[in-house]
């Protein structure tokens, strides 16, 4: 009899242990992160919201706080990954019976995030609406600025004639998948170098190209984000991830089109100014080029003879 009582006690303790272990599997919505390593096994770190979110196949995989299962979207490598997305602030905080109001359902990312108190709580290109606790897009297009490059403009804009101007979107055939090109992937949430200006400087004979071909020269200007420590290298040989995309979709390492003497940096390495050389048939009168930096933007230019 004593042995049987002991077994019943152990069984009860085992059940309680299992329940306690299960408590650790609750949704961690709103938990801050910088990489997937900061999150649980079934979660990823949201690339723009900076919080752990649960991955899913359907709504039944999601917690009550965020019952919609939908693709992450955006431009990250996980864009097609399905995650649990929220619908209301009330559900993010545990429902109508909860007294908590610490979380909001992000208007931009549709995931539960902590309320912001200042712009410092929001990512690049976002500002805090302290009344709602929401991080919103900071649209400073049209604001005044000085100099060139990013200046005081938002990432993804550039200073043009004293006004913050949006970098043009890539719309040329070079980046059209039907032509074998690379699908445009740039959004303002990325943090790589931004190419903001391409200007044709000459169209004629130059020793850069083989005999019988014409050399088209284009001046390219780019900047590294004002925030962060990234700068352009002092020598063109160290230039990271610059690619030239042809109309047929094939691409060439951009460094191969730049002479060392036709590359320079300024503003402590935040700005780069270089000339790219393109070899075309001598009968050509137009050249469509597509350029992009890895993790930066894609941009098109139509150069005419």
């Amino acid at each position: 009899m004593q042995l049987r009582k002991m077994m019943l006690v152990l069984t009860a303790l085992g059940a309680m242990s299992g329940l306690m272990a299960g408590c650790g599997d609750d949704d961690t919505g709103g938990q801050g992160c910088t990489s997937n390593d900061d999150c649980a096994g079934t979660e990823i770190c949201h690339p723009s919201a900076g919080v752990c979110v649960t991955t899913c196949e359907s709504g039944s995989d999601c917690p009550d706080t965020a019952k919609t299962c939908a693709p992450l979207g955006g431009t990250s490598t996980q864009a097609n990954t399905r995650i649990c997305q929220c619908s209301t602030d009330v559900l993010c905080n545990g429902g109508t019976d909860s007294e908590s109001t610490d979380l909001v359902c992000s208007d931009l990312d549709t995931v539960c995030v902590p309320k912001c108190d200042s712009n410092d709580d929001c990512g690049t290109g976002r500002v805090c609406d302290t009344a709602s606790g929401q991080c919103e897009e900071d649209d400073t297009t049209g604001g005044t600025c000085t100099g060139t490059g990013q200046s005081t403009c938002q990432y993804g804009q550039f200073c043009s004639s004293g006004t913050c101007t949006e970098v043009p979107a890539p719309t040329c055939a070079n980046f059209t998948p039907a032509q074998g090109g690379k699908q445009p992937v740039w959004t303002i949430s990325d943090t790589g170098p931004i190419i903001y200006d391409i200007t044709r400087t000459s169209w004629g004979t130059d020793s850069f190209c083989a005999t019988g071909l014409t050399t088209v020269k284009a001046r390219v200007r780019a900047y590294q984000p004002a925030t962060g420590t990234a700068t352009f290298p002092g020598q063109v040989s160290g230039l990271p991830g610059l690619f030239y995309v042809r109309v047929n979709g094939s691409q060439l390492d951009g460094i191969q089109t730049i002479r060392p003497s036709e590359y320079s940096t300024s503003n402590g390495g935040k700005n780069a100014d270089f000339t790219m050389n393109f070899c075309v048939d001598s009968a050509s009168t137009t050249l469509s080029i597509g350029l992009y930096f890895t993790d930066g933007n894609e941009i098109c230019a139509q150069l005419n003879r």
Side-chain angles (χ1 to χ4, degrees):
M1 179 66 71
Q2 194 68 26
L3 178 60
R4 185 170 179 230
K5 287 183 179 180
M6 185 177 295
M7 292 299 293
L8 289 172
V9 170
L10 290 174
T11 300
L13 288 173
M16 292 176 63
S17 176
L19 289 172
M20 293 175 66
C23 293
D25 297 330
D26 289 345
D27 175 53
T28 56
Q31 176 183 321
C33 60
T34 57
S35 72
N36 292 342
D37 293 338
D38 297 329
C39 303
T42 58
E43 299 175 330
I44 61 171
C45 185
H46 195 287
S48 54
V51 295
C52 294
V53 291
T54 303
T55 57
C56 58
E57 293 296 330
S58 68
S60 61
D61 299 326
C62 298
D64 291 338
T65 54
K67 291 299 292 183
T68 301
C69 182
L72 171 65
T75 64
S76 73
T77 56
Q78 303 173 115
N80 294 321
T81 300
R82 298 175 70 83
I83 64 167
C84 297
Q85 300 184 10
C86 59
S87 57
T88 68
D89 295 351
V90 172
L91 290 176
C92 280
N93 286 287
T96 55
D97 294 334
S98 174
E99 296 181 358
S100 173
T101 57
D102 295 337
L103 301 177
V104 292
C105 182
S106 169
D107 291 339
L108 299 179
D109 304 309
T110 325
V111 294
C112 298
V113 297
K115 283 184 175 180
C116 63
D117 295 316
S118 68
N119 293 345
D120 293 339
D121 297 329
C122 303
T124 302
R126 298 182 177 187
V127 294
C128 180
D129 179 347
T130 55
S132 66
Q134 289 273 359
C135 290
E136 307 288 0
E137 289 185 351
D138 180 17
D139 185 6
T140 56
T141 305
T144 58
C145 57
T146 58
T148 59
Q150 184 176 359
S151 182
T152 55
C153 303
Q154 181 177 310
Y155 176 77
Q157 301 173 0
F158 68 104
C159 190
S160 176
S161 301
T163 302
C164 290
T165 306
E166 289 286 347
V167 173
T171 57
C172 53
N174 307 60
F175 293 118
T176 303
Q179 298 291 333
K182 178 178 167 60
Q183 176 71 30
V185 298
W186 173 68
T187 69
I188 207 167
S189 63
D190 287 340
T191 57
I194 293 291
I195 302 170
Y196 64 91
D197 183 66
I198 304 174
T199 305
R200 197 216 76 170
T201 56
S202 68
W203 190 302
T205 302
D206 186 278
S207 60
F208 188 90
C209 297
T211 303
L213 295 177
T214 296
T215 302
V216 181
K217 289 179 173 289
R219 179 190 183 190
V220 179
R221 292 188 291 173
Y223 67 75
Q224 291 280 10
T227 58
T229 60
T231 58
F232 288 107
Q235 304 295 324
V236 68
S237 58
L239 199 62
L242 171 65
F243 295 94
Y244 159 44
V245 181
R246 301 181 178 92
V247 174
N248 64 7
S250 62
Q251 65 181 34
L252 178 72
D253 186 343
I255 292 178
Q256 297 181 27
T257 70
I258 307 171
R259 286 190 172 104
S261 60
E262 295 179 322
Y263 171 87
S264 63
T265 63
S266 59
N267 190 27
K270 285 293 186 180
N271 293 352
D273 191 324
F274 49 90
T275 297
M276 300 183 74
N277 299 269
F278 306 97
C279 300
V280 301
D281 185 272
S282 57
S284 298
T285 58
T286 63
L287 174 65
S288 176
I289 64 173
L291 302 178
Y292 76 94
F293 272 109
T294 301
D295 296 327
N297 70 315
E298 295 175 341
I299 190 169
C300 300
Q302 187 78 14
L303 308 181
N304 300 311
R305 189 162 191 168

